Every structure is written in C-alpha cells, then in structure tokens.
Amino acid sequence: MTRRRVTLMGSTGSVGANAVDVIRRRGGAEAYEVVALTGGRNVALLAEQARELRPELTVIQDEAAYPALQEALAGEGLRLAAGDEAVEAAGGMPADWRLAAIVGAAGLRPSVAAARAGGVLALANKECLVAAGEAFLAAVAQGGGALIPVDSEHSALFQIFEGDQLKAVDRLIVTASGGPFRSWSRERMEAATPEQAAAHPNWSMGLKISVDSASLFNKALEVIEAARLFPVRPDQIEVVVHPQSVVHAMVGYADGSVLAHLGAPDMRTPIAYALGWPERIPAPTPKLDFAALSRLDFEAPDEARFPALRLAREALEAGGLAPCALNGAKEAALEAFLERRIGFLDMAAAVEATLEALAPGGEAYDLQDVFAMDARARRFAADWTHDHRRAFA
Ligand SMILES: NC(=O)c1ccc[n+]([C@@H]2O[C@H](COP(=O)([O-])OP(=O)(O)OC[C@H]3O[C@@H](n4cnc5c(N)ncnc54)[C@H](OP(=O)(O)O)[C@@H]3O)[C@@H](O)[C@H]2O)c1
C-alpha cells in the first residue's frame, strides 16, 4: 500500500506537535511518507521530529538557527534548508495532505503555496482566511483541493453545517471560553500582564493565540473565518461564552433545531478529523464524561470589556481589506503587549485607531494588496503603540 504523503508547516508549534502526536500514534513514518516539516526557531524539537519522521525536507525559518539544525542532524542523511522562501517552497512540494499551522500572517505565503498545490489543506492558520479572504479562497480553488478547517470551532461547524439545507440555516454559533479574564473588572484587565493573559483555563495553545483568547481577538478572527468558510451573512454568526469549552459550535436551523458539536478541548480531535477526512479515524483524545461534567454554562460576551468582537463585525461590514488591517494591527499590538510596552486593553484601542485611520473598504483585492495592507496596518499600529507606550514593572 502506498503511504499517504503529508507535510506539516509549523510542526514545532502547539498544533504542529499535536499533529505529530496523531501521526505517531497512527504508525508514524511507516504509515505516512512525510514530505516536509517546517519550524520557526525551535531547532531541538524540529531535529527530534525529523529524526523520527524522516521527512524529505526539513526547514527552519530562522536562518540564524540553520547551523544549529545542521549540527543537530549531522550524519542523518536528511535534506535541510532555511529561510522564508524555503518554508514557502516546502508548502508547495507534492503531497496529498498539508497542515498549515504557522502562527499569524507569517503563514500566508506558505499556506498559499500549499493551497495552490491542491490535495487536502488542513488549515489551522486562520489568519490566512482573515487577512487574505477571497484571495486565499481563490488560491484554494486554483489548486482544486479541499480546505478542511482545523480550528476546533470551524471543524465543528464543518461537521454539523448541512450545506444542502442552505435556505434553512438560521445561524452559526461559535463558543468562546471567555479566557482567564472572563470575570475580571475592566480596571483589573487594564493592568493584566502577558503571563496572566497567557494562562488559558481550558486549552493548551501557543502563546499568541492564548493571549488572543484572553482579549477575545481570537474569537473575533474566528467570526471572520466563519464568514469566509460558510455561505451565511455576518449577522448570522453569533458568539456565546461557554466556560467549559465542551460545546465547540452550533448551527441553528429554521425549524428551531440546533445541532451542536461536543468534544474534549483537545486539538487532536479536529486534527484527526482533517487527517482522516472524509473518513473518521481514532484520536487519542479523552472521552467526554457527562456525569463528571454535570453542567454546561452559556452567557453573552461583554463587549464593553472585550471590544474585539465589535471590531470584527465592523471590519466584516466594511469588507475588502478591513479584516486584513484588523489582523495586521492586532499582531503589531500583541507584540507590543507581550513586550510590556502597552497595556492589555490598549491592544483593542490600537486596532480601532488603525481601522479608523486607514479606513480600508470594500474594494476588490489580490494577494499583493493583502501584503501591502498588512504592512501598512502593522506600521500604523506599531507607531500607535509607540505613542501610547506606558511604563510597566
Ligand atoms: N494552539 C491551538 O490549540 C490552536 C487552535 C486553533 C487554531 N490555532 C491556530 O493555529 C496556528 C498555530 O497556532 P499554535 O498555537 O500552534 O502556534 P505556536 O505554538 O506559536 O506555533 C507556531 C508555529 O509557527 C512557527 N513559526 C513562527 N513564526 C514563524 C515564521 N515567521 N515563519 C515560519 N514559521 C513560523 C513556529 O516555529 P517555532 O516554534 O519553531 O519558532 C511554530 O512551529 C495559529 O494560526 C493559531 O491561531 C491554534
């Protein structure tokens, strides 16, 4: 039997390492032909994964880390490369299944290369859909492959959205845990540290998405992601806070039925779904114990403390490159917060100021326009954070 050819972009990240775990438990290099693995800077983990999975190509994005990778894999007979272009080229190598799990807009070029190459694109890198929207979907169409969302909420929607009942779809509901500041006062949030923001109550994730979960910017991106993936109007997409993170998403239909997707908060479930698609395969995720769970709570998000959701709706309404500007500005503001130059709530203020100043609208755009707007929004937001920097202990 021929082994399925898989590529993992961002294999050293939280999603990437979970994907390696799913693949390992399904037979690893004996069951899959690993075409390419890409990492950013984590030489030790990338080398360990490469030794185990024997990829055709192993790429480290950070060129300064290349000598260390060469040293770590000396004598293994593995092909190595470094740099942004090598990551992008890895995305386009012939494969049957590719995981896009680089964090942020940095994943855009490699994910586009993967999309254009066809096959199954398992997309965790939501920023591609948010920033590049229709241009990214055009790349997927050009490749003729299948786009399978890995974000747990969108994997859930993908599984319960009855595409042949489009007229009867009333609303999509994505859940949010509410993050570590769900019950904090605005005053307390003003002074929140990156460590407090990164302490997600339910999910174990990368640093940036954890902080985005605390500000609900992750949910804001997910609302835009859902609007790109499913043929519904933005006003049909709702967010509800659900602190247990057991119900990932729901679809409401015209007859009053609501289909919900439940699962443990473990990324190996949506990764296994995308890896097995169109079949279901086992994942090492713990089974839900309903008796132990005993209750599921839901509440409305507080948009006064979490303006990110309103900003996402406004960006969707403005259309065109507005979501791209939102994402670029958010990434620059997040960087400033992680470096303790601005406060937690300043992130949303920086994004709002950027959207107001650049006023990106509903014009048609291509990938070059996306890169240009991303850069403009980052620059504007970085300047804003410079002008509004504060002294933190
Ligand atoms: N974590 C989750 O549970 C989760 C759930 C749903 C969706 N997502 C989405 O999945 C994506 C990955 O999230 P994550 O939490 O796995 O992030 P993460 O743990 O920070 O991992 C990010 C990956 O991207 C690599 N990377 C960073 N900067 C890069 C660059 N400039 N060029 C190439 N590679 C780069 C990192 O390499 P090094 O670590 O080697 O530096 C790592 O492999 C994000 O878009 C996130 O929103 C994540």
Side-chain angles (χ1 to χ4, degrees):
M1 210 178 92
T2 54
R3 291 176 303 161
R4 200 157 170 224
R5 297 169 303 168
V6 301
T7 281
L8 308 182
M9 296 181 286
S11 65
T12 51
S14 166
V15 171
N18 273 309
V20 168
D21 188 47
V22 171
I23 285 173
R24 175 186 298 126
R25 289 165 192 259
R26 293 194 55 75
E30 296 198 351
Y32 294 90
E33 182 184 330
V34 180
V35 176
L37 293 180
T38 84
R41 294 181 171 177
N42 190 339
V43 169
L45 182 56
L46 185 61
E48 189 186 314
Q49 292 174 340
R51 266 192 296 272
E52 176 185 351
L53 296 175
R54 314 301 305 172
E56 206 179 297
L57 181 67
T58 305
V59 185
I60 190 97
Q61 181 267 336
D62 180 10
E63 295 185 21
Y66 191 47
L69 183 69
Q70 286 176 308
E71 193 183 326
L73 292 172
E76 292 283 348
L78 294 167
R79 190 151 69 93
L80 312 179
D84 287 320
E85 284 177 17
V87 175
E88 189 177 343
M93 287 170 74
D96 304 306
W97 189 90
R98 297 173 182 81
L99 175 72
I102 292 172
V103 63
L108 186 50
R109 287 179 197 272
S111 302
V112 165
R116 286 188 175 142
V120 175
L121 179 59
L123 187 73
N125 185 203
K126 67 191 88 184
E127 295 87 348
C128 292
L129 277 174
V130 172
E134 285 149 32
F136 186 72
L137 292 172
V140 175
Q142 194 186 335
L147 178 63
I148 310 294
V150 170
D151 225 343
S152 57
E153 297 77 0
H154 303 75
S155 171
L157 288 172
F158 189 83
Q159 295 174 53
I160 55 180
F161 187 89
E162 296 182 357
D164 55 349
Q165 296 292 327
L166 212 50
K167 280 197 189 130
V169 173
D170 183 29
R171 57 188 175 143
L172 309 188
I173 304 160
V174 290
T175 62
S177 71
F181 305 153
R182 182 171 64 90
S183 52
W184 283 32
S185 68
R186 206 184 147 80
E187 292 65 41
R188 228 179 135 197
M189 286 167 72
E190 291 266 10
T193 65
E195 291 73 22
Q196 289 169 322
H200 198 279
N202 304 335
W203 291 91
S204 157
M205 306 184 288
L207 173 65
K208 291 182 178 174
I209 185 177
S210 298
V211 176
D212 283 350
S213 297
S215 62
L216 290 204
F217 261 114
N218 181 48
K219 212 48 57 181
L221 299 186
E222 287 180 7
V223 167
I224 300 171
E225 184 183 7
R228 309 289 203 205
L229 285 170
F230 300 97
V232 297
R233 296 184 314 274
D235 63 288
Q236 289 177 289
I237 304 170
E238 298 176 10
V239 174
V240 67
V241 173
H242 166 48
Q244 291 90 358
S245 298
V246 165
V247 177
H248 300 310
M250 297 176 266
V251 179
Y253 292 92
D255 61 5
S257 302
V258 178
L259 301 193
H261 178 286
L262 283 70
D266 186 322
M267 284 306 290
R268 292 174 300 181
T269 292
I271 290 167
Y273 181 81
L275 183 63
W277 183 86
E279 283 163 26
R280 287 189 188 269
I281 59 175
T285 311
K287 275 191 185 159
L288 279 181
D289 178 348
F290 286 95
L293 257 178
S294 79
R295 58 185 276 184
L296 299 173
D297 298 306
F298 299 94
E299 64 196 40
D302 175 357
E303 293 200 9
R305 285 182 304 129
F306 300 100
L309 296 175
R310 170 179 57 80
L311 294 172
R313 267 198 309 276
E314 289 172 3
L316 270 176
E317 206 169 297
L321 292 165
C324 173
L326 177 143
N327 183 66
K330 189 277 294 172
E331 290 192 15
L334 174 60
E335 212 64 61
F337 171 67
L338 291 175
E339 290 168 8
R340 295 172 206 273
R341 289 188 278 112
I342 59 168
F344 182 77
L345 295 175
D346 293 334
M347 287 190 285
V351 171
E352 185 150 22
T354 307
L355 289 172
E356 271 172 19
L358 304 188
E363 67 279 12
Y365 57 90
D366 62 17
L367 280 172
Q368 291 318 314
D369 302 322
V370 168
F371 294 128
M373 177 54 79
D374 180 62
R376 270 183 78 198
R378 269 168 212 277
R379 246 191 333 266
F380 186 94
D383 288 348
W384 189 99
T385 63
H386 184 76
D387 294 344
H388 294 78
R389 68 189 176 280
R390 305 177 189 210
F392 286 96

